[in-house]
Amino acid sequence: MTIVVVGAGIIGTTIAYALQKRGQRVILLDKGDVGRGASFGNMASIAVTEFMPASRPSVWRQIPGWMLDPEGPVCVRPAYMPKLIPWFARFVAASRPGKLRALEAQGAALCKRVYDDLLPLLRETGLEQELTDEGCLSLYKDEAEFRADREHIEILERFDFPHQRLTGNEARELEPALSDSIGLAVIFPQNRSLRDPHRLVVKLAEAFQAMGGRIERGDVSGFERGERITGIRLADGRSLGANVVVLCAGAHTGRLSKLLSEPMPLETERGYHTQIMQPGISMRHSIIWPARAFMVTPTAGGIRVGGTVEMAGLDAPPDYRRAKITVKRASEALPKLRCADATEWMGHRPALPDTVPVMSASARVPGVYYATGHGHLGVTYAATTARLMADLITGATPPVDMRPYRINRF
């Protein structure tokens, strides 16, 4: 049996590795280099506490105000607004109280498994050193800001994710570069960081090849099928025969699913980062400031600043003002931060309106599987997604009920 995995980001590469390890013949296909999409520029966080649905009323009720603020945490380009209406209608529909509780449980079920799957993967590939020991600090200026984030904390308490409240001084003992304006913080010890998320994908791809896996470069232009999938057509005229095709091309997966007459409500939340190689400070923990909508992580040999969401589709050029906004806000928390020897980046997070990924067989074409829509949690969910998808594809019983993650749930 030949399996073609389309998409060589962290999700696709990890799935390809898991299937090759189980004795399958696997081809990993991407139109670009391994790990050069969203996996290159993510915030390097194993963010097991960040599974809450974005469709919470406390979030979407603020979106109109955010969109009127040029520095708000959510930006929608006016020309793209009409295309977003169907997606946003589903987003609001996912905010019903009963639906929210179900979505929280579905996200928590994945996050509870993260280290059960990630740590063995890192050990067997010799990549344990890529994961740091330090957690993440969530920052608050005062009690009012903390109360505004209380919904998040209560969800973590309900699902028993560890966290600890700190005073501002206790937070500064952990990270001396923090501003005196930080009045309190919460530490999430399980939200560890990666030393370099792009390097991790590349090393996993090398481990996949060392087991006999094959990497091909090509842009998918169509599919070959009879009663089931039989192959993939590439834009350069080549074809790849396949008994199974796994579509995990991130935010681009929706375009591929349309070629199979199986559309999905997949959007791109465009994310920006600034990688600062001479920041003038040192950090051990990652930090987030919910009220300011940014994150800072020590990674890739420097400090990475990111955050906010831009909705503008896959084809619009980057607006690097978004990256500058997050650096400006990060400087409020880190007053000695210098932006020297810095580069800016934009990438596409694959976003579904209910914040829960699709991990399932196709409902229309036998032999096709999907793994996409991981949003801000691609690197967090990667090893668990690989375990679950490998189970589905090889006929094993997954350790998680997979019905909530099916493609035809919408």
Side-chain angles (χ1 to χ4, degrees):
M1 182 168 73
T2 299
I3 301 174
V4 177
V5 177
V6 181
I10 186 63
I11 296 293
T13 301
T14 313
I15 290 172
Y17 173 87
L19 288 167
Q20 190 72 26
K21 181 185 173 186
R22 296 193 188 195
Q24 305 300 316
R25 185 165 63 246
V26 184
I27 300 171
L28 179 61
L29 174 69
D30 200 291
K31 62 183 177 182
D33 293 335
V34 169
R36 295 299 298 189
S39 298
F40 177 81
N42 64 60
M43 289 306 295
S45 176
I46 307 300
V48 298
T49 64
E50 303 306 305
F51 58 86
M52 303 76 60
S55 57
R56 303 188 309 278
S58 60
V59 173
W60 64 256
R61 287 172 183 160
Q62 298 181 73
I63 290 177
W66 288 339
M67 289 192 296
L68 294 173
D69 180 358
E71 296 191 1
V74 175
C75 171
V76 180
R77 294 200 188 180
Y80 198 70
M81 188 81 73
K83 296 181 181 179
L84 269 180
I85 291 173
W87 186 92
F88 191 70
R90 287 190 171 100
F91 180 82
V92 173
S95 69
R96 302 187 307 274
K99 181 66 172 176
L100 279 178
R101 286 299 178 101
L103 295 173
E104 290 164 6
Q106 292 157 21
L110 299 179
C111 282
K112 285 285 188 181
R113 281 204 58 85
V114 162
Y115 287 109
D116 292 338
D117 300 310
L118 178 60
L119 294 179
L121 172 68
L122 296 179
R123 282 195 297 268
E124 69 193 40
T125 53
L127 296 172
E128 305 101 312
Q129 75 281 358
E130 293 295 328
L131 185 66
T132 69
D133 293 324
E134 287 76 16
C136 177
L137 291 167
S138 185
L139 309 180
Y140 307 93
K141 181 179 179 180
D142 51 31
E143 287 286 345
E145 279 194 359
F146 177 72
R147 287 194 298 272
D149 198 39
R150 185 63 198 172
E151 182 182 25
H152 177 199
I153 302 300
E154 288 174 350
I155 291 172
L156 300 183
E157 290 171 348
R158 187 172 352 121
F159 290 102
D160 198 29
F161 283 87
H163 57 282
Q164 180 183 354
R165 177 169 164 157
L166 306 174
T167 66
N169 287 335
E170 288 171 332
R172 279 181 286 277
E173 288 177 6
L174 295 176
E175 290 296 341
L178 288 175
S179 167
D180 290 340
S181 67
I182 302 302
L184 63 151
V186 173
I187 187 166
F188 303 129
Q190 290 185 323
N191 285 18
R192 298 160 68 182
S193 300
L194 296 172
R195 300 191 191 282
D196 188 328
H198 176 246
R199 183 172 63 207
L200 176 65
V201 184
V202 170
K203 292 296 184 182
L204 284 173
E206 291 173 358
F208 162 71
Q209 289 180 295
M211 290 192 300
R214 175 177 149 203
I215 297 177
E216 289 280 350
R217 176 177 272 189
D219 192 6
V220 177
S221 62
F223 297 92
E224 298 171 349
R225 53 180 167 143
E227 294 183 354
R228 59 177 292 120
I229 200 76
T230 59
I232 292 176
R233 294 192 300 275
L234 303 179
D236 61 9
R238 291 181 296 148
S239 294
L240 294 175
N243 306 99
V244 170
V245 171
V246 189
L247 298 178
C248 42
H252 300 272
T253 310
R255 290 181 172 177
L256 299 176
S257 74
K258 286 180 182 178
L259 297 175
L260 293 166
S261 301
E262 193 165 28
M264 64 177 75
L266 187 68
E267 264 297 338
T268 169
E269 291 184 4
R270 295 151 59 103
Y272 293 82
H273 86 219
T274 302
Q275 180 72 27
I276 306 173
M277 302 308 290
Q278 297 183 48
I281 59 172
S282 62
M283 295 177 63
R284 293 174 56 227
H285 301 74
S286 60
I287 63 170
I288 55 175
W289 194 342
R292 302 291 194 273
F294 73 83
M295 183 173 190
V296 182
T297 307
T299 191
I303 285 177
R304 183 169 295 177
V305 182
T308 78
V309 167
E310 181 188 42
M311 308 295 282
L314 289 168
D315 301 317
D319 179 359
Y320 287 114
R321 290 176 296 179
R322 304 299 300 170
K324 292 175 175 61
I325 289 167
T326 54
V327 172
K328 175 183 173 182
R329 291 180 174 172
S331 297
E332 298 178 40
L334 302 163
K336 294 183 179 179
L337 176 66
R338 293 189 300 112
C339 194
D341 188 13
T343 55
E344 296 174 332
W345 173 91
M346 187 276 288
H348 297 280
R349 308 181 190 104
L352 290 163
D354 58 6
T355 323
V356 173
V358 164
M359 298 181 293
S360 80
S362 166
R364 299 179 67 91
V365 185
V368 172
Y369 293 81
Y370 296 99
T372 191
H374 295 76
H376 296 242
L377 297 177
V379 69
T380 301
Y381 286 155
T384 295
T385 296
R387 160 70 190 276
L388 298 175
M389 293 302 298
D391 283 346
L392 285 177
I393 293 164
T394 61
T397 301
V400 172
D401 179 4
M402 298 301 291
R403 287 173 296 178
Y405 313 105
R406 66 194 186 280
I407 187 172
N408 59 346
R409 69 180 186 258
F410 298 102

